[in-house]
C-alpha cells in the first residue's frame, strides 16, 4: 500500500521539499508523487523538445539525483504528468489546441484556453516522450492525469483532429489508442533498462508503472479504460488514501496522498 505525499515541482526541487520528504519518511510514508508537468504546462525537469520553451533552470534541475535521494530513503518516486490540459502549450502553439467550429482559431472552455486536442499526434508524441524521459532518469512510476476530453463549455463547438482522421471513432477510441501507444513505449523502455543492467549498471531497475490520476473525471463515455489496458501499477494508489488529504493553503506547501 502506498502512503504518498504529493509535492508540486517547485516544492520537490527545494530544500524545504526535501525536508518534508524526510519528515514524511519518518512518519511511515513510503512514496512521493511530484509534478513533472501540471496543467499549467510548465515542465519541472530538464526535458528538451521542439514544443517546449521552458526556462533553462527547471525546478528539479537534476532528476537522477532527486530520484536517487528518494531511493536512499527507501521511497518510491511517482512522477505526475498532466496530459491533455496544458495551458502553456496551447498558448504557445494554438494550432495544437481544440479548434472552434464557429470561428477560425482555438476553442475555449468557458472562456479559457487550456485544452490541447487529445487526438493530435504531436501531443501524444510530446507527452509520451516526457514520460519516457522521466522513467529513464530513475522515476519508478508515471501517473497520467487529465487523460480525457474537456467536459465543460460549448461541446458542440469543439472540433478535434480525430473527427477527420478517423470518422468512425468516438472519444473513448482516442483515449484507448493513446494509452496503447503509451504502453508500447513502456515495453520498449523496459527492454532498454534491462540492456543497461546487463552491461553492469548496479542500481536495480523497477518496472515503470503507468496509472491514471484517480481524482479527475474519467474519459468521455468511458470509465474503465485503465483497467482494460494497463498493467497493475508497481505501487497501487489506494482509494482510501483520500482520507488523509491535506487541503491546499495559500503560502503553504501542497501535500496530499496520491
Amino acid at each position: 500500500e502506498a502512503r504518498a505525499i504529493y509535492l508540486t515541482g517547485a516544492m520537490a526541487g527545494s530544500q524545504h521539499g526535501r525536508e518534508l520528504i524526510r519528515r514524511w519518511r519518518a512518519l511511515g510514508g513510503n512514496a512521493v508523487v511530484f509534478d513533472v508537468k501540471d496543467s499549467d504546462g510548465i515542465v519541472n525537469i530538464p526535458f528538451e523538445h521542439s514544443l517546449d520553451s521552458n526556462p533553462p533552470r527547471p525546478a528539479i534541475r537534476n532528476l537522477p539525483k532527486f530520484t536517487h535521494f528518494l531511493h536512499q530513503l527507501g521511497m518510491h518516486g511517482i512522477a505526475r504528468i498532466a496530459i491533455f490540459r496544458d495551458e502553456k502549450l496551447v498558448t504557445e502553439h494554438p494550432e495544437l489546441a481544440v479548434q472552434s467550429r464557429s470561428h477560425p482559431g482555438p476553442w475555449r472552455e468557458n472562456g479559457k484556453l487550456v485544452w490541447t486536442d487529445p487526438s493530435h499526434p504531436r501531443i501524444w508524441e510530446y507527452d509520451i516522450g516526457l514520460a519516457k524521459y522521466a522513467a529513464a532518469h530513475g522515476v519508478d512510476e508515471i501517473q497520467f492525469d487529465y487523460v480525457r476530453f474537456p467536459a465543460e463549455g460549448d461541446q458542440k463547438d469543439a472540433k478535434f483532429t480525430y473527427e477527420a482522421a478517423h470518422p468512425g471513432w468516438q472519444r473513448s477510441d482516442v483515449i484507448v489508442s493513446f494509452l496503447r501507444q503509451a504502453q508500447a513505449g513502456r515495453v520498449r523502455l523496459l527492454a532498454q533498462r534491462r540492456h543497461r543492467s546487463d552491461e553492469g549498471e548496479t542500481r536495480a531497475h523497477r518496472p515503470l508503472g503507468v496509472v491514471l490520476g484517480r481524482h479527475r473525471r474519467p474519459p468521455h463515455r468511458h470509465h474503465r479504460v485503465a483497467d482494460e489496458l494497463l498493467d497493475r501499477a508497481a505501487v497501487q494508489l489506494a482509494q482510501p488514501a483520500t482520507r488523509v488529504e491535506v487541503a491546499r493553503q495559500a503560502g503553504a506547501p501542497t501535500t496530499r496522498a496520491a
Side-chain angles (χ1 to χ4, degrees):
E1 179 182 335
R3 297 178 296 279
I5 188 173
Y6 164 71
L7 302 177
T8 64
M11 182 58 66
S14 69
Q15 181 61 38
H16 183 46
R18 290 188 288 274
E19 289 302 320
L20 282 175
I21 292 169
R22 291 189 182 96
R23 286 162 55 191
W24 181 243
R25 185 66 178 124
L27 290 171
N30 61 7
V32 175
V33 181
F34 62 97
D35 281 338
V36 162
K37 179 168 73 77
D38 199 357
S39 60
D40 59 8
I42 295 175
V43 176
N44 294 307
I45 59 176
F47 174 65
E48 295 183 2
H49 192 278
S50 60
L51 295 179
D52 180 35
S53 62
N54 281 288
R57 296 172 67 85
I60 303 173
R61 300 176 189 174
N62 190 327
L63 183 58
K65 184 177 180 179
F66 178 71
T67 56
H68 180 67
F69 164 71
L70 296 179
H71 296 151
Q72 280 189 318
L73 293 176
M75 305 281 274
H76 193 82
I78 304 170
R80 175 179 172 267
I81 300 177
I83 300 296
F84 298 134
R85 185 182 170 106
D86 190 321
E87 184 175 359
K88 183 174 182 292
L89 189 59
V90 293
T91 299
E92 296 178 353
H93 298 277
E95 73 279 7
L96 301 180
V98 179
Q99 299 298 304
S100 171
R101 298 182 190 276
S102 61
H103 62 83
W107 173 86
R108 296 173 183 267
E109 182 183 63
N110 297 328
K112 297 180 180 179
L113 179 61
V114 293
W115 283 98
T116 65
D117 182 343
S119 60
H120 201 295
R122 293 190 70 194
I123 300 298
W124 291 18
E125 186 269 332
Y126 173 63
D127 284 319
I128 293 173
L130 179 60
K132 290 174 67 176
Y133 179 91
H137 288 78
V139 169
D140 301 293
E141 190 167 315
I142 309 295
Q143 183 188 68
F144 282 173
D145 208 344
Y146 287 103
V147 189
R148 64 175 177 89
F149 280 70
E152 300 179 8
D154 185 357
Q155 294 291 305
K156 293 182 179 179
D157 188 48
K159 183 172 65 174
F160 304 95
T161 301
Y162 81 90
E163 294 169 338
H166 303 281
W169 280 18
Q170 296 184 354
R171 292 184 176 190
S172 59
D173 297 312
V174 174
I175 302 301
V176 168
S177 296
F178 168 76
L179 291 175
R180 282 178 175 158
Q181 186 163 321
Q183 191 76 337
R186 171 182 180 268
V187 172
R188 288 195 295 271
L189 180 61
L190 289 179
Q192 294 169 4
R193 283 183 163 184
R194 284 194 294 269
H195 179 66
R196 287 201 302 268
S197 180
D198 292 342
E199 290 176 347
E201 188 167 335
T202 57
R203 192 179 83 78
H205 289 291
R206 288 171 287 277
L208 165 64
V210 179
V211 299
L212 298 180
R214 53 140 184 87
H215 59 286
R216 306 297 184 188
R217 291 185 180 89
H220 183 65
R221 285 186 277 175
H222 198 86
H223 294 266
R224 299 186 57 82
V225 71
D227 294 336
E228 293 171 8
L229 292 176
L230 301 181
D231 295 340
R232 185 170 180 233
V235 167
Q236 189 68 28
L237 303 185
Q239 186 69 20
T242 58
R243 291 197 298 267
V244 298
E245 182 164 330
V246 179
R248 186 185 298 258
Q249 300 177 4
T254 304
T255 59
R256 68 168 181 253

